[in-house]
Amino acid sequence: MRPAGRLLAAFLCVCSLATSAPSPAQEAPKAARRGRPGHYMGRRIADVMSWQGAEWLFRQTRVDEEQPEAMLDALDIQPGMTVADVGAGAGYHTVRLARRVGERGLVLATDVQPQMIAMLKDNVRDAGARNVRPLLCTQRDTRLPAGEVDLILMVDVYHECSDPEAVLDGMLAALKPGGRLVLVEFRGEDPDVPIKPEHKMTLAQVRREVEPRGFAYKTTHEFLPWQHVIVFEKPEAKAEPAR
């Protein structure tokens, strides 16, 4: 089996571990669905990846497939920043972010599964990162502090949000004016990307969903083998006109 085939097979196995029926906390309200249950703006909402498949997040091939350090390099993360790793899982990117923001910075690492948060805490402790604050969130409450975050990163996560509008609104509120939201998503435009269709997104679909919630589109980095790196910004507050 080719590497791409092995990746797809492993991913299908991991996703099958998640509960097929969403819990009340995961179920999107009717107003947010805008269509059939389990769908949003014409796309199927993917199941949340179960904590039981967390080892897949640390697979040896991920460095080559997703190039995490190169992806973070492109985001110009500076020491002292407050960044949020939303849908952090067991902390694959959290530890990398903690190194980049340094002792004067802070990483807010959120996940909806208590088991993921427990594993994240273990991994952060083992890495010696003291600038990480784990937060158990829900599908409708990001638990992020208002107006305090410089950058929010979601890697292969946004497409699993059962209430995208609530999550986007919460992230917009959490960002400082000029703060950035970065969505890393497998390319839905490319049929050769070996991931189930509901776990991929096109750039057009992402923009269609995110921009109406108050974000300004900035750019997309397309140097990764399989993923978009899509950057949005919270607009600066407009000055009140002089009276």
Side-chain angles (χ1 to χ4, degrees):
M1 184 182 293
R2 294 181 299 173
R6 288 195 295 270
L7 173 65
L8 177 58
F11 187 76
L12 293 175
C13 179
V14 165
C15 290
S16 70
L17 293 171
T19 305
S20 57
S23 68
Q26 295 173 328
E27 188 174 1
K30 291 181 180 180
R33 289 175 181 160
R34 299 185 183 180
R36 294 175 291 164
H39 291 72
Y40 182 69
M41 289 195 176
R43 68 172 174 90
R44 178 183 169 187
I45 296 171
D47 292 331
V48 173
M49 190 189 121
S50 169
W51 64 272
Q52 293 171 288
E55 287 186 5
W56 188 78
L57 298 173
F58 294 85
R59 63 193 183 278
Q60 291 183 351
T61 59
R62 189 173 186 184
V63 171
D64 291 331
E65 293 162 359
E66 300 189 20
Q67 301 177 15
E69 296 296 345
M71 180 270 291
L72 294 177
D73 286 344
L75 303 183
D76 191 29
I77 298 168
Q78 297 296 315
M81 278 186 170
T82 295
V83 301
D85 187 4
V86 173
Y92 183 80
H93 293 95
T94 303
V95 173
R96 291 174 165 83
L97 290 168
R99 289 196 293 262
R100 288 172 181 258
V101 301
E103 295 180 358
R104 295 185 294 108
L106 176 65
V107 180
L108 304 168
T110 77
D111 204 88
V112 298
Q113 299 179 80
Q115 300 91 339
M116 284 290 200
I117 292 292
M119 287 185 280
L120 182 146
K121 289 179 178 178
D122 289 342
N123 289 330
V124 166
R125 184 186 63 248
D126 292 345
R130 299 182 179 181
N131 56 348
V132 175
R133 184 187 303 167
L135 297 170
L136 180 64
C137 63
T138 72
Q139 286 277 16
R140 301 187 67 184
D141 185 353
T142 66
R143 298 290 304 277
L144 296 174
E148 295 185 14
V149 183
D150 295 294
L151 182 143
I152 296 174
L153 177 65
M154 299 183 80
V155 179
D156 306 334
V157 171
Y158 173 73
H159 63 272
E160 296 180 352
C161 295
S162 63
D163 192 341
E165 294 178 2
V167 171
L168 289 168
D169 291 349
M171 292 191 296
L172 185 70
L175 286 170
K176 300 174 182 178
R180 292 171 291 158
L181 168 65
V182 180
L183 303 183
V184 181
E185 290 286 343
F186 287 101
R187 293 188 189 96
E189 300 91 339
D190 187 351
D192 292 330
V193 174
I195 294 292
K196 293 175 69 176
E198 62 267 31
H199 288 274
K200 300 194 286 187
M201 293 194 72
T202 66
L203 174 59
Q205 181 72 27
V206 172
R207 293 189 62 177
R208 179 185 175 205
E209 297 183 18
V210 175
E211 290 178 60
R213 308 313 300 176
F215 291 91
Y217 172 73
K218 301 303 292 184
T219 191
T220 301
H221 302 291
E222 295 288 12
F223 60 87
L224 296 180
W226 290 338
Q227 295 158 298
H228 299 294
V229 181
I230 310 168
V231 183
F232 297 91
E233 185 177 277
K234 178 176 181 176
E236 297 278 356
K238 294 182 179 179
E240 292 291 332
R243 296 184 178 180

